[in-house]
């Protein structure tokens, strides 16, 4: 039982809340002052910091992961850009060296081809092979750039060895090229030794280029180098195409055929150059020539 004269616990009165708050604030200020002078709470602070560190790392983990992914993406883009620049430099330097040899060998005929260097160093696009379509009848390569990069059907494809092929189809993101050995490709060429103009065709035999419709006494022989003649405007003059392997002469029909091996090796590389020639102008010139012939 409750004794008389005592206050029930429910109604027991103590110091007002304002007083207690003031005392606590005063104690806090005193502790802050003492700690700033004597650093007595430093061990406690370190212990709390160590205990909170795993939680801090856990909270900051998403930010660190985003930063690492962003740095990886930037590094990958930089490496890709540098790789394309190196591939472009490798191919262009090889083409300059090839044309230096040709200019020394062609004598007076090459004076008309002094502009070849300008044609070779014209605007070009570095492309990479995406895949080679499995086709028993056509020899093709599909590249990783298309009409969005300025590629059009008819543009020549080259590597450091010479002419690789010709763009035959484009989409906004890809381009398909027929190799010089594809039977649908024909290139105006000439014999480097004497300037004899010819037409080189792809063949059904892999790795073979045919030079057809030759006179039986045509001045062409095994070992001759065939380069583009520049006729038609699509292929700049002086690009290496093939080396003659053998010549078949038929005295009965009065015609001959030369079998040649391409100088480019698309099976060895993944990167090539597409020369951005004026396809529309070349087509117009061809139509005018056909009209004049009629």
């Amino acid at each position: 039982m409750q004794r008389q004269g005592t206050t029930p616990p429910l109604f027991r009165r103590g110091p007002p809340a304002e007083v207690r708050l003031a005392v606590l604030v005063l104690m806090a200020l005193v502790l802050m002052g003492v700690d700033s002078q004597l650093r007595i709470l430093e061990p406690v602070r370190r212990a709390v910091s160590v205990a909170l560190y795993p939680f801090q790392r856990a909270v900051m983990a998403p930010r660190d992961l985003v930063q690492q992914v962003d740095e990886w993406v930037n590094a990958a883009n930089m490496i890709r850009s540098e790789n394309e620049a190196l591939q472009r430099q490798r191919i262009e330097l090889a083409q300059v060296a090839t044309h230096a040899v040709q200019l020394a060998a062609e004598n007076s005929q090459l004076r008309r081809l002094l502009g070849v260097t300008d044609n070779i160093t014209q605007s070009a696009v570095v492309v990479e092979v995406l895949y080679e379509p499995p086709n028993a009848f056509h020899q093709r390569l599909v590249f990783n750039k298309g009409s969005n990069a300025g590629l059009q059907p008819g543009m020549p494809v080259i590597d450091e060895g010479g002419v690789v092929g010709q763009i035959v189809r484009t989409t906004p993101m890809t381009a398909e090229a027929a190799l010089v050995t594809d039977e649908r490709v024909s290139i105006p060429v000439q014999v480097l030794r004497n300037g004899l103009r010819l037409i080189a065709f792809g063949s059904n035999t892999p790795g073979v280029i045919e030079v057809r419709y030759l006179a039986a006494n045509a001045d062409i022989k095994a070992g001759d180098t065939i380069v583009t003649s520049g006729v038609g405007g699509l292929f700049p003059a002086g690009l290496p195409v093939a080396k003659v392997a053998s010549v078949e002469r038929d005295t009965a029909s009065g015609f001959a055929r030369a079998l040649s091996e391409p100088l480019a090796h698309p099976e060895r590389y993944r990167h090539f150059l597409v020369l951005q020639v004026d396809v529309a102008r070349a087509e117009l010139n061809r139509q005018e020539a056909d009209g004049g012939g009629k």
Side-chain angles (χ1 to χ4, degrees), residues 185-198:
V185 175
S186 60
I187 304 174
V189 297
Q190 63 183 137
V191 178
L192 183 61
R193 176 173 54 85
N194 55 22
L196 178 64
R197 287 194 296 273
L198 309 164

Side-chain angles (χ1 to χ4, degrees), residues 52-226:
L52 292 179
Y53 179 76
F55 299 98
Q56 293 174 343
R57 297 303 304 171
V59 171
M60 297 174 64
R63 186 207 65 175
D64 296 340
L65 178 61
V66 171
Q67 289 181 345
Q68 291 179 358
V69 171
D70 185 61
E71 291 175 358
W72 181 84
V73 171
N74 292 336
N77 291 335
M78 183 178 299
I79 292 173
R80 187 179 299 110
S81 299
E82 292 177 353
N83 187 44
E84 286 194 357
L86 290 174
Q87 294 293 342
R88 178 193 295 272
Q89 184 179 16
R90 175 178 62 85
I91 294 175
E92 291 179 348
L93 288 177
Q95 288 298 326
V96 170
T98 300
H99 282 277
V101 175
Q102 293 172 354
L103 289 174
E106 290 186 349
N107 210 347
S108 61
Q109 178 197 359
L110 293 184
R111 294 181 181 178
R112 296 176 299 142
L113 303 178
L114 289 177
V116 168
T117 304
D118 294 334
N119 292 332
I120 294 302
T121 57
Q122 64 184 288
S123 179
V125 178
V126 178
V127 294
E128 184 178 355
V129 176
L130 283 179
Y131 63 92
E132 183 175 356
N135 193 317
F137 302 99
H138 301 297
Q139 302 173 49
R140 305 290 176 87
L141 293 176
V142 176
F143 299 130
N144 65 335
K145 294 180 182 178
S147 57
N148 287 346
L151 305 188
Q152 299 179 29
M155 290 182 173
V157 182
I158 65 173
D159 68 4
E160 55 264 46
V163 177
V164 171
Q166 188 176 24
I167 301 295
V168 294
R169 186 180 297 110
T170 61
T171 68
M173 304 302 296
T174 63
E176 183 177 349
L179 302 183
V180 290
T181 52
D182 190 288
E183 60 181 354
R184 292 186 56 185
V185 175
S186 60
I187 304 174
V189 297
Q190 63 183 137
V191 178
L192 183 61
R193 176 173 54 85
N194 55 22
L196 178 64
R197 287 194 296 273
L198 309 164
I199 301 293
F201 298 87
S203 66
N204 293 325
T205 305
V208 175
I209 298 175
E210 295 184 3
V211 180
R212 307 170 187 166
Y213 314 122
L214 294 173
N217 61 348
D219 185 10
I220 184 172
K221 59 184 179 181
D224 280 342
T225 299
I226 298 175

